[in-house]
Amino acid sequence: MAFQLTDEVEQFLKRAGSSILIGGVWRQASDGRTISTEDPATGRELTQIARGTAADVSAAVDSAQSAFVGDWSLLTPSQRGRMLWALADLVDEHADELATLETLEVGKPLRESRFFDVILAGEVLRYYAGWPSKFAGDVLPVSPMVGSIIGYSRREPLGVIAAITPWNFPILLGAAKLGPALATGNTVVIKPSELTSLSTMRLAELALEAGIPPGVINVVTGYGAEAGRALGEHPAVRKIAFTGSTATGRALVAASAPTLKKLQLELGGKSANIVFPDADLAEAASGAYQAIFLNQGEVCCGGSRLFVHDSVYDDFLAELVAAAEGIELGHGLDDMTDMGPLVSAAQLDRVTGFVNGGIRDGASVATGGGAPAEPPGSGHFMSPTVFTDVRDDMAIAQDEIFGPVVCTFRFHDEDEVVARANGTAYGLAAGVWTNDLRRAHRMAARLAAGTVWINTYNILDPAAPFGGYSQSGYGREFGLDSMIEFTQTKSVMIGMD
Ligand code: NAD
């Protein structure tokens, strides 16, 4: 099926070859090389973007550094706040266009792009627009050994921030880094995923339109091993705000070590979603469905391990399987589509590799298990998959699959399920379905995860810090925590004698 794109989207795709933004000027890669970007629902090329080099990264960092020590640092908190607010308004005004770009590259249904990713990106920017005029240091209650001292602290920006984002929620995760970075007075070089750079580029164009000065936001598109790596190693970058896989997070820790950059790492997950028999089971079933099948299951905090109490497991499983089998696969721009394709052929290979491994290890497939018999297009479609008979030590129960694949487990009591839920290397999120108030609070405290959802799932809010325990990373996105993450504290002591 061919979709009619609006003129603004068509025009944007035509100028996408100049996808590197340095000092307010869009350009091609310094060596002219490009990366083909495709529609994952069809496998067809959408456009070409620049394949940024280490030289491009260096120029972008220089531009960010000049802006940091230049006029940007002279703006008042209120002025920074107004610019972020203006950008949030432009995101809302251009929501249809941004959502279309997001769907074209990531594959997700347009209603998800439009009413989750883009709306939330605008809200994140608006939330951080409110912070600069309220974010302050402290008067310090010092106890001087000699004389009289007044002490206070300042929260100062770090300098040039490298923001590196993954392909699953590009505009939202871009906004989640730009908002607090700019609110606190830093400047940024952002490198989106080579698979999904378009919405980030458009966001940066809108930032210039919102009056954010040239050089404050720079964009370098390109591969992780080239542009990303150069950014991670650049000595003038003071902090890396990264969302992506745990493996790349580790590589960035190593790359940043020689120059001791601050790191904020939002990494992978293998989140447990736990259904107690006292829950509203209809609500829990629909929650378990969206916990794993939102965004084709390509969600870091997805409820990929579903623990259901033995007494209700069989009926619950039947309902989940029926819901999974009712999912309409298709192009994200088609209104009838419930789930789009996976982002790339490589991702489809990876996910089917895990599924085949699970079958070899002895797990049973209740539904799905590979590509659909009648795919809705030539893209990277995968059937929603539900596993039963999974042992906790299998790879499908321990490793992040990052696709529409859920492992289901029976459990018998609270202590047992807490131990099993906490039994992976990750700790990003967890879900609990119960109507027992005391159990809800007990579970919230006992689960080793950065976010615990009770009787809901996949709810993100700019006011609620989000991030991982253990190998899901460190640092927090959203909330006041993120303002603190993007600053350093200076103590000032004034002798008064
Ligand atoms: P990825 O780690 O492959 O890539 C993420 C980004 O890092 C991309 O822009 C990529 O080009 C870049 N990159 C790759 N190698 C690099 C290197 N050596 N140096 C610097 N940059 C490099 O991850 P992905 O496949 O794009 O995204 C999926 C992963 O992201 C999953 O593991 C998922 O759990 C994670 N994720 C986490 C969160 C969270 O908030 N915790 C949110 C979304 C996605």
Side-chain angles (χ1 to χ4, degrees), residues 165-168 191 194 224 228 242-245 248 266-268 300 400:
T165 54
W167 45 260
N168 60 340
K191 195 210 83 65
E194 55 275 22
F242 172 72
T243 303
S245 64
T248 307
E266 306 286 343
L267 309 177
C300 52
E400 184 180 52

Side-chain angles (χ1 to χ4, degrees), residues 62-290:
D62 287 350
S63 152
Q65 181 65 27
S66 304
F68 179 68
V69 296
D71 290 351
W72 180 240
S73 65
L74 303 177
L75 294 188
T76 63
S78 164
Q79 285 170 316
R80 289 201 304 274
R82 268 184 274 154
M83 286 175 187
L84 281 171
W85 195 281
L87 177 56
D89 284 347
L90 283 172
V91 167
D92 288 353
E93 270 170 46
H94 292 267
D96 289 334
E97 179 194 353
L98 290 164
T100 302
L101 292 174
E102 196 85 339
T103 284
L104 279 175
E105 271 194 314
V106 184
K108 64 183 84 189
L110 188 62
R111 62 175 175 273
E112 285 182 22
S113 305
R114 178 70 180 77
F115 297 107
F116 182 78
D117 306 53
V118 174
I119 295 268
L120 198 49
E123 282 305 305
V124 167
L125 293 166
R126 199 166 281 115
Y127 172 86
Y128 284 106
W131 264 119
S133 55
K134 288 138 201 111
F135 186 63
D138 291 311
V139 175
L140 304 172
V142 291
S143 306
M145 300 289 183
V146 283
S148 171
I149 296 280
I150 289 179
Y152 65 92
S153 65
R154 293 165 50 83
R155 297 225 64 116
E156 297 190 340
L158 297 158
V160 178
I161 308 295
I164 303 179
T165 54
W167 45 260
N168 60 340
F169 291 103
I171 193 164
L172 172 59
L173 297 174
K177 292 170 177 50
L178 292 173
L182 270 52
T184 46
N186 299 283
T187 57
V188 178
V189 178
I190 184 164
K191 195 210 83 65
S193 165
E194 55 275 22
L195 299 173
T196 59
S197 297
L198 300 180
S199 58
T200 305
M201 290 156 51
R202 189 68 187 110
L203 182 65
E205 282 186 349
L206 294 175
L208 289 170
E209 202 177 316
I212 294 173
V216 172
I217 299 174
N218 304 273
V219 181
V220 181
T221 54
Y223 289 119
E226 296 172 1
R229 189 180 169 156
L231 204 44
E233 290 174 348
H234 198 292
V237 167
R238 290 318 312 145
K239 164 174 170 147
I240 303 172
F242 172 72
T243 303
S245 64
T246 296
T248 307
R250 283 194 199 102
L252 284 168
V253 172
S256 65
T259 46
L260 287 178
K261 301 179 198 326
K262 198 167 175 180
L263 284 171
Q264 183 179 333
L265 301 176
E266 306 286 343
L267 309 177
K270 191 72 185 174
S271 300
N273 194 14
I274 304 167
V275 181
F276 285 96
D278 60 45
D280 176 330
L281 293 174
E283 194 181 63
S286 108
Y289 166 92
Q290 72 92 9

Side-chain angles (χ1 to χ4, degrees), residues 463-477:
F466 182 83
Y469 280 27
S470 194
Q471 293 189 36
S472 289
Y474 41 77
R476 290 292 177 271
E477 207 127 65

